[in-house]
Amino acid sequence: MPRYGLIDGLRGFFLVFMLVNHLVFTGGYWMQNINHNKLAFVEDAQGFVFLSGLMIGLVYGRKMLRLGYDEGRAQIWRRAFQLYRYAMGIVVAVLVARALLPGAPQAWGNWLGHTSLTGDPLRLAAIATFLFQPTVMDILPQYVLYMLVAPPMVRWCLDGRVVPVATVSVILWIAGQLAMQRFVTDPLGQWVTTGDGQGMRASFNLLGWQLVFFSGMIAGALTAAGRVEWQRVFRADVATPARVALAICLFFAPLRLLSAYGMLPQWLIEKIDLLGIRGDFGPIYLINFVAATTGLTWLLIAGQDHPRPGVRRAASWARGLFSLAFLRLLGRHSLYVYVWHVAIVYAVYYVDQTQGPFATWLKTAIALAGIALLALPALWRERRS
């Protein structure tokens, strides 16, 4: 498969389900219940951020090896500032729509607060510095910030100094679980609070979620340097990692499913809530993420050579799914598709708030149309190239 076909397919898969999960209709809609996040504490954002880190380590690691550290660093930073421009561009586009569309300030009130292009300059400054992140516009900011500090991390991994990088990442994750970011975020939040009572606003704790990005970056850099041969790590004749991963996923699946519908004892729900804080990428999310990533990677790399027919069929099905042309198309242009998905989400929410509620069949049709529309920026870019 040309380029990084399965990786593109995975990114496209995550983008589709990210859209499905982010669409908001009055009364909800059934498609959000047919989702892998109902069976495990694993979500699309984790996969998207991990694969983003993987590609940084893989693509720019190879560029550093070929062109030198300085050029590789410059290219990573150029990419980071490109992402910053897109992050700001979608905010400006939504705020322009807020000013022009009747009822938009009320429809998007929960998502934007009192933010407007002519409003408090402090709020606009907070948005420009990622201190205030409107709803569903919170993945690109963390990606940009991680990329700014990524170049030396990539170089150390290329040089074989993985342990210091991984150790720092783990320590920062622990600090995030202890909410130590509040030494910085609490005073910043008070400083940028405006008239709507909102100050610093972000869905992701950077100290917790950086572990997802940098674990992917480490894997990508090691691959670029030829220090790891994944076919030797994930082998058909050594299925123990896959079995352990499957056992962990099967343990958490009923807990996730029942907790999603409030069908567990309150004491257990409280414990899960304590250890499974999504914004912090808590321990439960970490364990599930490691298990799901290990199991899926083994299946994609080694599963097709396993002696059991059932395993081979599962591997063939998984590879076929992530090889779908539509998903690979989205994945090849993931940045542009992600930005476009934000526009779709805001448009659908506006229509629902001003014209809804809609019948179930119409919600389904709108969601399916939104999935189809995801391909527009990807098709546009491919026709230009």
Side-chain angles (χ1 to χ4, degrees), residues 146-169:
Y146 297 154
M147 289 182 70
L148 291 178
V149 300
M153 308 295 110
V154 174
R155 180 170 63 177
W156 292 342
C157 291
L158 294 176
D159 293 341
R161 291 181 287 174
V162 172
V163 172
V165 176
T167 300
V168 170
S169 184

Side-chain angles (χ1 to χ4, degrees), residues 198-211:
Q198 298 189 55
M200 189 169 180
R201 174 175 169 176
S203 299
F204 298 101
N205 178 347
L206 294 180
L207 294 182
W209 278 77
Q210 56 76 31
L211 187 65

Side-chain angles (χ1 to χ4, degrees), residues 100-337:
L100 297 178
L101 295 175
Q106 294 74 31
W108 293 331
N110 291 335
W111 289 8
L112 297 173
H114 293 171
T115 309
S116 70
L117 289 174
T118 58
D120 193 332
L122 183 60
R123 170 58 52 78
L124 298 178
I127 289 177
T129 53
F130 295 147
L131 296 179
F132 185 95
Q133 299 168 15
T135 299
V136 306
M137 299 187 195
D138 41 22
I139 287 184
L140 284 184
Q142 65 167 322
Y143 191 15
V144 170
L145 294 173
Y146 297 154
M147 289 182 70
L148 291 178
V149 300
M153 308 295 110
V154 174
R155 180 170 63 177
W156 292 342
C157 291
L158 294 176
D159 293 341
R161 291 181 287 174
V162 172
V163 172
V165 176
T167 300
V168 170
S169 184
V170 170
I171 290 174
L172 290 176
W173 177 82
I174 295 171
Q177 306 315 300
L178 298 174
M180 294 179 69
Q181 76 279 356
R182 294 186 60 178
F183 287 119
V184 175
T185 59
D186 282 0
L188 281 176
Q190 294 175 5
W191 182 61
V192 299
T193 298
T194 60
D196 59 6
Q198 298 189 55
M200 189 169 180
R201 174 175 169 176
S203 299
F204 298 101
N205 178 347
L206 294 180
L207 294 182
W209 278 77
Q210 56 76 31
L211 187 65
V212 183
F213 180 90
F214 285 107
S215 60
M217 189 210 71
I218 290 171
L222 290 175
T223 304
R227 294 181 178 275
V228 175
E229 293 184 27
W230 297 108
Q231 286 78 9
R232 293 189 176 184
V233 176
F234 297 100
R235 295 161 41 191
D237 60 335
V238 183
T240 300
R243 294 193 187 100
V244 173
L246 179 61
I248 293 173
C249 291
L250 290 176
F251 171 79
F252 278 104
L255 293 176
R256 180 67 184 97
L257 182 63
L258 295 175
S259 67
Y261 296 98
M263 298 173 62
L264 294 175
Q266 186 60 34
W267 60 265
L268 184 52
I269 291 177
E270 291 175 356
K271 183 63 72 172
I272 291 174
D273 289 343
L274 178 65
L275 297 176
I277 299 175
R278 176 183 182 271
D280 292 340
F281 193 60
I284 287 179
Y285 277 98
L286 173 60
I287 294 169
N288 277 256
F289 173 73
V290 172
T293 302
T294 301
L296 181 60
T297 303
W298 183 91
L299 188 65
L300 292 175
I301 293 177
Q304 58 190 347
D305 298 321
H306 195 270
R308 291 188 178 181
V311 175
R312 294 198 301 271
R313 283 195 297 271
S316 176
W317 181 87
R319 294 181 70 89
L321 172 64
F322 300 127
S323 298
L324 290 175
F326 179 73
L327 297 183
R328 289 189 287 120
L329 172 67
L330 299 182
R332 286 196 297 273
H333 307 278
S334 57
L335 162 64
Y336 308 94
V337 173

